[in-house]
């Protein structure tokens, strides 16, 4: 079992930046997938950015060129750098990780972008 703890959410004006962090513990050595999802009010949960071992990263079209996912293997931590934030990026952001899929979830962190 993998535990995930997120941090870094908050309130920012449009055009600003935030960096989210997600620290993994437990059986973190077995993680092959780590990613960030988000869920806005009244909408479903969507994959924002994903990292997989031995493969390239992938992004939702809506965040390409603005968000960057990265992983510090030594710290078992994945980051989401979010630049040029827009009001439509407002959501609860969840970190997810797993061996074969995203089956471990963090508690979520709120990101609010004001116009």
């Amino acid at each position: 079992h993998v535990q995930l703890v997120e941090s870094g959410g908050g309130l920012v004006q449009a055009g600003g930046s935030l960096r989210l962090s997600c620290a993994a513990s437990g059986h973190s050595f077995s993680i092959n997938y780590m990613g960030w999802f988000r869920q806005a009010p009244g909408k479903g949960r969507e994959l924002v950015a994903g990292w997989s071992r031995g493969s390239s990263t992938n992004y939702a079209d809506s965040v390409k060129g603005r968000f960057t996912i990265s992983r510090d293997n030594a710290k078992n931590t994945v980051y989401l750098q979010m630049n040029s934030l827009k009001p439509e990026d407002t959501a609860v952001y969840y970190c997810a990780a797993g061996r074969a899929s995203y089956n471990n979830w963090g508690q979520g962190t709120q990101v609010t972008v004001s116009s």
Side-chain angles (χ1 to χ4, degrees):
H1 184 65
V2 175
Q3 294 82 42
L4 302 171
V5 178
E6 301 127 330
S7 60
L11 173 65
V12 64
Q13 289 187 330
S17 298
L18 283 174
R19 188 176 82 153
L20 306 182
S21 300
C22 174
S25 61
H27 292 158
S28 56
F29 61 88
S30 65
I31 293 175
N32 292 317
Y33 296 87
M34 292 192 81
W36 289 94
F37 291 72
R38 68 185 180 188
Q39 186 165 19
K43 296 187 177 181
R45 193 171 294 189
E46 64 170 346
L47 177 65
V48 175
W51 168 91
S52 59
R53 191 182 302 277
S55 181
S56 61
T57 54
N58 60 290
Y59 297 90
D61 288 342
S62 59
V63 306
K64 283 181 181 177
R66 300 188 299 122
F67 291 12
T68 303
I69 188 171
S70 61
R71 188 170 189 260
D72 184 329
N73 292 326
K75 296 181 179 180
N76 288 321
T77 299
V78 68
Y79 303 96
L80 185 67
Q81 178 66 44
M82 305 185 293
N83 299 327
S84 302
L85 282 160
K86 304 175 181 180
E88 50 264 44
D89 294 318
T90 295
V92 177
Y93 284 70
Y94 297 90
C95 176
R99 180 178 181 181
S101 65
Y102 296 110
N103 58 341
N104 298 279
W105 294 84
Q107 79 283 0
T109 185
Q110 177 71 46
V111 171
T112 303
V113 184
S114 63
S115 57

